[in-house]
């Protein structure tokens, strides 16, 4: 089986080798964590100086490893003290009290550990409780546009971008007909259902399952819009399915912990402080998001574009917030290496009204940090409009800011 490489993640993992730090690959189910771990296994196994102990809890071969004691025994039987040992465990949360074993092996000389998991709460709480700050999380995302092209062997261009916008970046789609929308969305729904059941419903013993699915659909339809627990609770009352604000907050956290959506806080640009309400939620994968809504893509294209831009910015190393001005919102306030940039996401800048709305919001920011509008406006690659850069979505996804 060919494993398509994602070298940026391998480089991040290798950076932390030898630092007595447990490396944890996190992210939504089926975004490729297992394949990153297998790539790492193959890379490390190529050297005779290394001893790799690999466990994949999604395979029946390792069904007998149920508790931390089983894990200790398995590793002990394969540990070689004269070599550099790498312990790689996929879906580690399936092992009861795994953190006890992990804590022990971290203190062994010439030993590095790399784990994967699909639930932020489980990993963060269990590891932090026993290990303090001695673990580092590496967030594995769905495929970027460039990876999407490479995985599906596509020619870069508008057609490839349209496929990416519609299908999203789940690596498993490489086994399906990427041009068949019904097939793509069926797979996306299967991935979503698995994550909801395994990482939320069973884990938290969810009782109001219909509301959980309704909440996912609500967030899909509200992508890029400010959302509050109060507004969701009021919406459900209007649907004659009332839920409390407390329940909404709890389920939103569960969805974030399972990496299905990400909560992005708002930033008051003038006051230079984070705000506590009306945050936005973006989906880890736009294919999953698209499969949850019934509207045609031309009716919600700006939501998808905004979602795609957000995840590309995260991939490129930016910390991202939503910006708030007295006169309205700026889509993204981004910081990297202590430098700030502002970004507006749009579909087509086709008339003066749209131009004024998108560019005017950025001109209302009274500082000299770089400002960008990213859109799919035809014939635009990278232009300057009185100090504001206008980038095509394709140009941004290929080359960044």
């Amino acid at each position: 089986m060919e494993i398509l490489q994602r070298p940026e993640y391998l480089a991040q993992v290798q950076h932390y080798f030898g630092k007595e730090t447990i490396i944890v690959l996190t992210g939504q189910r089926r975004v490729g964590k297992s394949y990153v771990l297998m790539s790492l296994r193959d890379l490390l196994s190529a050297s005779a100086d290394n001893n790799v102990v690999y466990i994949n809890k999604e395979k029946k071969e390792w069904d007998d490893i149920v508790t931390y004691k089983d894990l200790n025994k398995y590793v002990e039987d394969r540990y070689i003290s004269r070599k550099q040992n790498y312990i790689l465990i996929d879906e580690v949360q399936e092992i009861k009290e795994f953190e006890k074993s992990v804590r022990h092996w971290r203190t062994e000389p010439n030993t590095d550990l790399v784990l994967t998991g699909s639930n932020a709460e489980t990993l963060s709480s269990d590891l932090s409780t026993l290990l303090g700050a001695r673990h580092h999380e590496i967030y594995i995302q769905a495929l970027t546009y460039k990876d999407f092209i490479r995985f599906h062997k596509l020619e870069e261009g508008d057609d490839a971008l349209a496929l990416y916008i519609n299908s999203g970046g789940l690596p498993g789609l490489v086994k399906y007909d990427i041009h068949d929308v019904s097939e793509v969305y069926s797979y996306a729904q299967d991935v979503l259902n698995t994550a909801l059941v395994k990482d939320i419903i069973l884990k938290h013993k969810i009782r109001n399952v219909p509301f959980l699915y309704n909440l996912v659909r609500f967030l899909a339809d509200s992508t890029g819009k400010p959302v509050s627990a109060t507004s969701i609770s009021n919406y459900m009352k209007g649907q004659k399915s009332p839920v409390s604000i407390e329940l909404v907050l709890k389920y939103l956290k569960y969805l974030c912990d399972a990496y299905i959506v990400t909560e992005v806080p708002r930033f008051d640009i003038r006051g230079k402080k984070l705000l506590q309400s009306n945050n936005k939620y973006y989906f880890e994968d736009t294919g999953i998001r698209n499969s949850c809504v019934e509207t045609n893509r031309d009716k919600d294209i700006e939501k998808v574009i905004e979602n795609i831009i957000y995840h590309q910015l995260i991939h490129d190393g930016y910390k991202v917030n939503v910006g708030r001005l007295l006169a309205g919102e700026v889509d993204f306030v981004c910081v990297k290496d202590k430098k700030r940039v502002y970004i507006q996401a749009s579909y087509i800048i086709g008339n003066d009204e749209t131009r004024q709305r998108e560019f005017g919001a950025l001109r209302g920011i009274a500082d000299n940090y770089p400002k960008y509008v990213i859109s799919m406006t035809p014939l635009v690659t990278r232009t300057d409009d009185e100090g504001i850069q206008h980038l095509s979505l394709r140009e941004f996804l290929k080359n960044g800011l």
Side-chain angles (χ1 to χ4, degrees):
M1 176 184 64
E2 180 187 6
I3 299 177
L4 297 170
Q5 302 297 316
R6 301 175 78 178
E8 70 273 27
Y9 293 124
L10 294 179
Q12 289 182 51
V13 171
Q14 290 175 295
H15 175 75
Y16 285 93
F17 282 162
K19 293 181 169 63
E20 295 187 0
T21 297
I22 297 168
I23 303 158
V24 186
L25 309 183
T26 60
Q28 180 188 276
R29 288 181 182 269
R30 301 293 178 261
V31 293
K33 301 185 301 294
S34 297
Y35 283 89
V36 172
L37 200 66
M38 284 191 285
S39 296
L40 184 65
R41 175 199 63 191
D42 295 346
L43 178 66
L44 297 172
S45 297
S47 172
D49 295 328
N50 298 335
N51 177 51
V52 179
V53 181
Y54 173 80
I55 298 167
N56 183 348
K57 278 300 294 174
E58 289 198 328
K59 301 292 186 181
K60 64 180 181 179
E61 180 180 345
W62 291 277
D63 279 350
D64 291 339
I65 304 176
V66 178
T67 71
Y68 77 95
K69 293 181 179 179
D70 302 328
L71 177 57
N72 278 339
K73 179 67 166 58
Y74 186 89
V75 175
E76 284 170 1
D77 291 345
R78 292 157 179 80
Y79 194 87
I80 302 175
S81 58
R82 68 179 183 276
K83 292 190 175 186
Q84 178 65 38
N85 288 271
Y86 296 94
I87 302 171
L88 315 180
I89 309 174
D90 199 2
E91 296 298 343
V92 69
Q93 75 272 4
E94 301 295 331
I95 303 172
K96 187 177 180 180
E97 297 182 296
F98 69 88
E99 65 277 6
K100 293 182 178 179
S101 178
V102 165
R103 177 177 59 177
H104 163 71
W105 292 109
R106 185 194 63 78
T107 61
E108 290 297 304
N110 303 321
T111 303
D112 285 293
L113 293 99
V114 186
L115 319 174
T116 81
S118 300
N119 191 283
E121 182 186 41
T122 296
L123 293 170
S124 295
S125 61
D126 290 347
L127 289 174
S128 296
T129 298
L130 286 176
L131 302 175
R134 294 190 178 274
H135 73 282
H136 178 77
E137 295 184 16
I138 295 175
Y139 175 37
I140 308 295
Q141 298 177 263
L143 299 180
T144 64
Y145 174 58
K146 290 196 292 187
D147 280 340
F148 178 84
I149 293 170
R150 183 164 57 89
F151 271 47
H152 293 282
K153 298 180 173 61
L154 299 172
E155 181 179 349
E156 198 284 316
D158 289 340
D159 290 342
L161 180 59
L163 282 174
Y164 183 62
I165 289 172
N166 277 307
S167 304
L170 292 174
L173 286 174
V174 74
K175 300 177 182 177
Y176 295 84
D177 181 359
I178 199 69
H179 297 88
D180 187 330
V181 174
S182 61
E183 191 171 322
V184 168
Y185 289 172
S186 177
Y187 175 72
Q189 281 291 299
D190 288 345
V191 173
L192 173 62
N193 288 332
T194 299
L196 290 176
V197 171
K198 289 190 174 183
D199 296 325
I200 299 179
I201 295 172
L202 295 179
K203 175 179 173 56
H204 298 287
K205 298 180 175 56
I206 294 296
R207 302 174 70 177
N208 195 343
V209 174
F211 170 60
L212 178 65
Y213 279 86
N214 283 334
L215 179 58
V216 172
R217 286 190 286 269
F218 178 89
L219 293 175
D221 192 55
S222 303
T223 301
K225 296 180 180 178
V227 169
S228 70
T230 301
S231 66
I232 295 173
S233 179
N234 290 337
Y235 170 80
M236 294 306 298
K237 288 177 184 176
Q239 300 297 308
K240 303 188 185 306
S241 300
V243 294
S244 68
I245 293 174
E246 291 75 15
L247 186 69
V248 173
L249 290 170
K250 186 182 294 184
Y251 281 21
L252 285 171
K253 183 179 186 303
Y254 293 160
L255 289 170
C256 291
D257 285 344
Y259 300 98
I260 294 169
V261 297
T262 301
E263 181 183 21
V264 183
R266 293 193 307 156
F267 182 82
D268 185 345
I269 296 173
R270 293 182 184 273
K272 296 180 179 169
K273 62 182 180 180
L274 289 176
L275 304 173
Q276 299 300 316
S277 62
N278 290 321
N279 297 331
K280 292 186 179 183
Y281 290 84
Y282 296 100
F283 276 72
E284 167 58 36
D285 178 68
T286 52
I288 287 179
R289 182 263 163 204
N290 293 343
S291 72
C292 293
V293 296
E294 297 179 356
T295 57
N296 294 326
R297 192 63 52 244
D298 59 347
K299 294 181 179 180
D300 64 359
I301 183 66
E302 288 201 1
K303 300 176 184 178
V304 185
I305 290 174
E306 193 171 324
N307 205 124
I308 289 172
I309 291 172
Y310 168 77
H311 275 289
Q312 185 66 44
L313 288 166
I314 296 297
H315 177 273
D316 292 347
Y318 288 92
K319 180 180 178 181
V320 182
N321 292 303
V322 177
R324 192 192 76 162
L325 290 165
L326 290 177
E329 299 275 351
V330 173
D331 288 329
F332 301 120
V333 181
C334 315
V335 177
K336 181 179 179 181
D337 299 329
K338 299 182 179 180
K339 297 178 182 179
R340 186 185 301 174
V341 298
Y342 301 103
I343 294 173
Q344 283 287 86
S346 185
Y347 176 34
I348 301 291
I349 309 293
N351 54 50
D352 290 340
E353 180 182 354
T354 305
R355 176 172 292 276
Q356 174 56 35
R357 182 180 71 243
E358 304 296 358
F359 284 81
L362 295 175
R363 291 194 178 100
I365 303 173
D367 63 39
N368 294 319
Y369 291 113
K371 301 171 179 68
Y372 299 86
V373 172
I374 299 175
S375 78
M376 293 182 66
T377 304
L379 304 181
V380 169
T381 301
R382 182 185 290 264
T383 60
D384 184 283
D385 189 315
E386 297 180 7
I388 298 175
Q389 293 288 312
H390 188 182
L391 278 179
S392 75
L393 181 62
R394 274 180 55 203
E395 172 72 10
F396 167 68
L397 295 178
K398 288 189 297 180
N399 300 312
L401 296 178

